[in-house]
Amino acid sequence: AEDREHAASDRDGAAFDRGQSQADAERRTADRDQTAVERGHAAEDREHAAEDRDRGETDRALAAEDRAHAASDREEARADLRHAQLDGLTGALGRELGMVEIDAEMNRARRGGGRLVLAYVDVDGLKTINDRRGHAAGDALLRDVVGAMRTHLRSYDVIVRVGGDEFICVLADTDPGAAQRRFQEIGGTVERTHPGASISVGFAALHPEDTLAQLTQRGDAALYEAKHTKPPRT
């Protein structure tokens, strides 16, 4: 009887062990399933992250393209504005834009050593030419005066039409002597192109404390003196 009880007890223990083993197997299976699910979620997360990176790169590329287009549009707008403010007859800068350019040149000159000369130019006798030979002849003279200035000045020197027969030129990194020699060449070209025509020029070198108004006023005063001390033509 005792042996039978031991045998029954052994069978119960074995059954329990089998049940425990089955439970362990089921837990391992559940763990594997959970791990597989987690790996699947991790893969999905990686895919989403990759998609987000791709979208981010696309957005950055589009933003860079938009900035490039905006910069190009601004440059075109500035070019259009500049062209709109050119003097229609001579191609010189108009007064409003020209004053802005002159002020900018003065600031650059101060930062770079302070050398700058303003030349105030008057086309002598333009009204007489208009009256005697017609406005077409006067217009041709004005265009050729600006053409002569473009020929003998540097490409970055500023030329502004400030009145019917008056121009202001600004020569950076130049002294008055060099500016005078330039305008002697310009005057010679004008006289060869239009016999009997001439220009008068007043020069003003930049002073450290000069405002735009002060520099142009000194140039205007120098022009007045140059015109009234100019020997009569023979």
Side-chain angles (χ1 to χ4, degrees):
E2 186 178 350
D3 290 339
R4 284 195 299 274
E5 289 176 0
H6 284 304
S9 177
D10 290 341
R11 286 194 299 273
D12 291 340
F16 176 81
D17 290 340
R18 286 195 299 274
Q20 187 65 39
S21 297
Q22 185 175 355
D24 290 342
E26 290 174 354
R27 281 195 298 272
R28 287 194 295 272
T29 299
D31 290 342
R32 285 196 296 272
D33 292 342
Q34 182 63 32
T35 301
V37 170
E38 291 173 353
R39 284 199 294 269
H41 288 161
E44 291 178 1
D45 290 342
R46 288 193 295 273
E47 290 177 0
H48 289 315
E51 291 173 358
D52 289 343
R53 286 194 298 272
D54 291 341
R55 280 194 295 269
E57 290 176 1
T58 300
D59 290 344
R60 285 192 293 273
L62 291 174
E65 187 176 349
D66 288 343
R67 288 193 297 271
H69 285 311
S72 177
D73 290 343
R74 287 193 297 271
E75 286 298 327
E76 289 180 6
R78 281 194 288 267
D80 290 342
L81 179 62
R82 184 181 179 87
H83 187 267
Q85 294 189 29
L86 295 180
D87 175 56
L89 175 64
T90 65
L93 295 178
R95 186 183 187 97
E96 182 178 354
L97 177 60
M99 293 299 104
V100 173
E101 293 285 345
I102 292 172
D103 192 49
E105 285 296 322
M106 291 171 64
N107 289 330
R108 277 192 286 269
R110 290 190 185 98
R111 293 193 298 269
R115 294 210 317 162
L116 179 144
V117 175
L118 180 144
Y120 215 121
V121 183
D122 180 81
V123 180
D124 297 325
L126 179 64
K127 184 179 184 303
T128 300
I129 293 173
N130 285 335
D131 291 342
R132 292 180 178 177
R133 299 171 53 195
H135 284 277
D139 290 349
L141 173 58
L142 289 171
R143 284 193 295 268
D144 288 343
V145 167
V146 173
M149 287 192 285
R150 293 195 188 283
T151 297
H152 294 285
L153 298 180
R154 298 160 301 185
S155 61
Y156 52 85
D157 290 328
V158 178
I159 304 173
V160 185
R161 189 179 184 188
V162 293
D165 57 359
E166 291 183 339
F167 298 86
I168 290 177
C169 300
V170 170
L171 289 70
D173 195 26
T174 303
D175 58 58
Q180 289 173 7
R181 289 190 293 273
R182 293 269 186 178
F183 277 90
Q184 286 172 354
E185 296 172 353
I186 292 167
T189 297
V190 170
E191 291 179 9
R192 287 192 298 273
T193 306
H194 294 267
S198 64
I199 61 173
S200 296
V201 189
F203 299 95
L206 178 66
H207 296 166
E209 69 282 1
D210 272 338
T211 64
L212 175 60
Q214 289 169 334
L215 182 63
T216 56
Q217 285 167 4
R218 285 210 319 280
D220 192 20
L223 171 62
Y224 180 86
E225 182 178 356
K227 285 184 70 70
H228 286 81
T229 58
K230 195 171 188 176
R233 299 179 66 86
T234 58

